[in-house]
Amino acid sequence: MKKLIVSGCSWGDKIFFSPFHPEMDTDWAKWPEILAEKLGMECVNLCKCGAGQEYIYSSISDYLQKTPKEEIGQVIAAWSTAPRRCFQVKNRWSNDRQDMRGDITYWTERSIRYQYAFQNLMEQTQLPYLHFQMISLYRGHLWELRKNMDRNKVEVMKQDVLETLKNTPYKFNDKFFNWPGDEELGGFSLEFGVLKEEHKISELDRHPNAKGQQKIAEYLYDRLR
């Protein structure tokens, strides 16, 4: 059986639990497992809560180096939000919700570089692949800033991100199916472009519920057929 290799953030993490509803049983099937079953593949779920682009790229790259090419059927990168900082201590991955260095423009440019590096890696391996913006690169971060910052300043930051995405010299092929990953530029994230309110856990916790996980898997399955 071929392997479906997936990396991303908490939206696909097999052991996700809700910090807003700690009493909730969140042991429902996550989209990588659901999709693997639909494709008739073995699921290799590398998704990790809090992960940023460095972990997503690195976890896939590391796994590919130690896995025979003939065992791999599909590779998927589900990109996270830009401000996250990933790092390793004694080979164990961890992350910060927000990098304490740089700004939103730098974090966006860094994300694009990892996304382009992933495209190049997959083109070199000649393996089937797909990648997309699972959650918005910047919306969650700017929403938090609006609580304590002048809205005009936040709007300027948003426009800086959009200009960075629009003017990047990096070119993506159709394997990045929602590039540039933002609705205002003709792309979309699955967070805002595919899931509706009924697919979220609650008003407090915007992660996908069981119905949302199924929706993501069905959407991706239609893209891969």
Side-chain angles (χ1 to χ4, degrees), residues 15 33 39 72 86-87 94 105 113 133-134 145 150 155 164 171 176 199 203 217 219:
I15 58 172
E33 284 74 30
L39 294 172
I72 301 170
C86 304
F87 56 92
S94 189
T105 302
R113 294 182 190 116
Q133 199 64 52
M134 176 62 86
L145 291 181
D150 180 80
E155 181 62 26
T164 299
K171 306 301 180 184
F176 196 141
H199 301 124
E203 289 186 6
Y219 180 83

Side-chain angles (χ1 to χ4, degrees), residues 105-123:
T105 302
Y106 158 65
W107 300 329
T108 300
E109 291 176 335
R110 179 177 62 187
S111 293
I112 294 170
R113 294 182 190 116
Y114 276 115
Q115 292 164 346
Y116 190 73
F118 173 76
Q119 176 177 277
N120 284 344
L121 173 67
M122 299 314 303
E123 290 294 323

Side-chain angles (χ1 to χ4, degrees), residues 115-152:
Q115 292 164 346
Y116 190 73
F118 173 76
Q119 176 177 277
N120 284 344
L121 173 67
M122 299 314 303
E123 290 294 323
Q124 289 171 11
T125 60
Q126 297 184 321
L127 289 167
Y129 72 99
L130 191 69
H131 58 144
F132 52 89
Q133 199 64 52
M134 176 62 86
I135 59 179
S136 174
L137 274 175
Y138 67 91
R139 289 192 184 196
H141 176 68
L142 296 190
W143 182 82
E144 290 288 338
L145 291 181
R146 285 190 183 97
K147 298 177 182 179
N148 301 302
M149 184 181 289
D150 180 80
R151 287 179 176 268
N152 290 329

Side-chain angles (χ1 to χ4, degrees), residues 170-197:
Y170 294 97
K171 306 301 180 184
F172 292 93
N173 60 31
D174 60 2
K175 298 297 184 179
F176 196 141
F177 66 77
N178 60 352
W179 174 258
D182 188 79
E183 292 73 12
E184 293 195 30
L185 297 177
F188 62 92
S189 62
L190 268 64
E191 176 183 13
F192 293 107
V194 173
L195 299 192
K196 308 300 181 185
E197 197 63 30

Side-chain angles (χ1 to χ4, degrees), residues 24 41 106 160 169 210:
M24 180 181 290
M41 295 183 184
Y106 158 65
D160 287 344

Side-chain angles (χ1 to χ4, degrees), residues 153-171:
K153 292 182 179 179
V154 175
E155 181 62 26
V156 169
M157 295 170 68
K158 174 185 172 182
Q159 294 305 317
D160 287 344
V161 173
L162 295 178
E163 286 299 310
T164 299
L165 288 168
K166 186 166 60 176
N167 297 321
T168 180
Y170 294 97
K171 306 301 180 184

